Amino acid sequence: MMNIVRPIKSVNDLSKAGLLADRDRLALEEVAARYAIALTPAVAKLIDRADVDDPIARQFVPDAAELVVTPEERADPIGDHAHSPVEGIVHRYPDRVLLKAVHVCPVYCRFCFRREMVGPQGLGTLDPAAMMAAFDYIRNHPEIWEVILTGGDPLVLSPRRLEEMMRELAAIDHVKIVRFHTRVPVVDPQRIDATLIAALKASGKTTYVALHANHPREMTIEARAACGRLIDAGIVMVSQSVLLKGVNDDAGVLADLMKTFVETRIKPYYLHHPDLAPGTSHFRLTIEEGQKIVSSLRGRISGLCQPAYILDIPGGYGKAVIGENSVRKTADGCFSVLDYHGAEHSYPPSE
């Protein structure tokens, strides 16, 4: 196995690492000109170079299919811009806001719904004045109970910067929950050390970390240990995954992933239907296909392992749970209920 010690950030780097196989290099240079490339050594090590359909490579190695943009795709598929009252803030729901302090990631997912905004050519990091304006917005809106740090990946910031941000939030009494959305424990597990963990905590606040992982192979021994360090320090962890064609669109793979989360003391939270980001149609299943896969998890794995299957409604209208509806009203006023085998059972109406 090739020993890769530096991040991969270009088509040339991919070639040197043996990750291009028979891909069209000219087309990949065109992809790279539009969308950022980055793989950490930990991710590159996971890729099976002998497997042309490797699910890890599919997530991170660019593909010429990204040049195909379908009519329904959009640069801002979940409507962040429509709900951004000040730079860096997205206020879509009354009691919580996104704080997008940084638009850089340690890795760039090929299906990213913010792919037009992240990376070296993206929106960058908030400057001090913009950061203060974002905190002022949070201070001036007492309905904000939770602040979700996302971006980009907030854990690419230094512990010093993270500590400064938590200090600002600690001084805002109405904020009770701070949540970090990140891939770092999986893609750069050694970064999760005592100094960084301490920076994620603040007096009077409960810290959550939402881990993004899509395939059980991502949950290596090192990744589990990094999550263990966070959890042992009192930080609650939940998961978020994206249902992706060619990566995890199989009930067995999803079941293994969710069980691995639970074994690592991470509560499965969201399973996202892929968003309508430009050049990502090769990752998208139909909603009906997704519902069939998710419904087959019922009875296969413990309730502890069940995520909510979620669609972000295009245009910024929020999330909807789109798991298969197992209850329908029948003509006689009763209800028909599907069990996990797909068999129907009658349930009487309320008196």
Side-chain angles (χ1 to χ4, degrees):
M1 179 179 293
M2 187 173 294
N3 184 27
I4 297 170
V5 296
R6 289 190 295 274
I8 293 170
K9 295 190 174 182
S10 68
V11 174
N12 194 47
D13 289 346
L14 289 165
S15 179
K16 290 178 180 178
L19 292 172
L20 289 190
D22 59 351
R23 295 170 190 257
D24 181 345
R25 181 158 178 165
L26 191 62
L28 295 190
E29 292 286 5
E30 191 176 344
V31 172
R34 181 165 186 181
Y35 306 119
I37 295 172
L39 290 78
T40 59
V43 166
K45 182 181 175 182
L46 284 178
I47 294 173
D48 181 356
R49 287 154 177 78
D51 182 1
V52 295
D53 297 316
D54 180 75
I56 309 301
R58 185 164 170 80
Q59 293 183 67
F60 302 108
V61 176
D63 191 297
E66 294 175 54
L67 298 174
V68 178
V69 178
T70 60
E72 70 274 10
E73 292 176 342
R74 52 187 77 186
D76 182 19
I78 69 167
D80 278 356
H81 292 324
H83 296 276
S84 185
V86 299
E87 185 181 1
I89 293 286
V90 177
H91 196 174
R92 184 177 286 109
Y93 302 100
D95 72 336
R96 55 205 182 274
V97 294
L98 303 183
L99 174 54
K100 299 194 291 182
V102 62
H103 287 83
V104 176
C105 299
V107 294
Y108 292 107
C109 304
R110 308 322 304 168
F111 51 87
C112 178
F113 67 97
R114 291 194 179 116
R115 62 196 329 231
E116 301 273 8
M117 309 173 199
V118 300
Q121 78 281 32
L123 300 180
T125 301
L126 290 188
D127 63 34
M131 188 70 80
M132 262 315 113
F135 284 124
D136 285 342
Y137 181 87
I138 296 168
R139 266 188 286 273
N140 293 330
H141 286 77
E143 72 273 21
I144 297 173
W145 174 79
E146 179 181 24
V147 174
I148 303 165
L149 284 106
T150 182
D153 192 317
L155 297 196
V156 302
L157 295 170
S158 69
R160 178 186 62 81
R161 291 287 305 280
L162 291 167
E163 187 176 16
E164 289 171 356
M165 293 167 65
M166 290 301 284
R167 193 180 305 125
E168 291 285 347
L169 293 173
I172 304 174
D173 186 61
H174 55 264
V175 173
K176 303 299 182 185
I177 306 295
V178 182
R179 190 194 329 168
F180 292 86
H181 282 195
T182 184
R183 263 195 179 275
V184 167
V186 163
V187 304
D188 192 8
Q190 299 311 311
R191 187 171 176 80
I192 308 296
D193 60 15
T195 305
L196 185 141
I197 292 170
L200 303 182
K201 303 174 76 176
S203 176
K205 311 303 174 193
T206 299
T207 300
Y208 280 73
V209 167
L211 176 70
H212 178 181
N214 298 314
H215 193 278
R217 271 176 40 211
E218 295 175 60
M219 297 299 292
T220 61
I221 292 171
E222 295 82 4
R224 293 194 198 200
C227 295
R229 292 191 290 274
L230 287 161
I231 295 164
D232 288 343
I235 292 173
V236 185
M237 290 193 71
V238 297
S239 77
Q240 57 174 358
S241 305
V242 185
L243 184 59
L244 300 165
K245 187 182 292 185
V247 175
N248 57 16
D249 56 334
D250 174 89
V253 171
L254 271 184
D256 287 347
L257 176 62
M258 299 304 154
K259 287 164 123 178
T260 302
F261 285 144
V262 171
E263 290 165 9
T264 311
R265 295 179 287 168
I266 300 169
K267 178 65 183 79
Y269 181 41
Y270 279 163
L271 177 65
H272 293 271
H273 190 77
D275 295 306
L276 298 175
T280 64
S281 61
H282 54 298
F283 285 108
R284 285 198 298 275
L285 300 80
T286 66
I287 287 177
E288 291 83 2
E289 288 170 331
Q291 288 174 326
K292 185 175 180 180
I293 292 168
V294 170
S295 68
S296 71
L297 291 177
R298 290 186 294 116
R300 181 189 287 259
I301 52 176
S302 162
L304 288 172
C305 304
Q306 302 283 346
Y309 183 33
I310 293 294
L311 173 72
D312 261 301
I313 303 169
Y317 299 102
K319 293 179 173 61
V321 179
I322 58 170
E324 185 179 42
N325 189 350
S326 58
V327 179
R328 65 179 178 84
K329 198 165 188 177
T330 55
D332 60 1
C334 293
F335 295 90
S336 175
V337 186
L338 286 176
D339 67 22
Y340 69 93
H341 295 295
E344 291 194 56
H345 306 273
S346 181
Y347 186 84
S350 300
E351 292 297 332

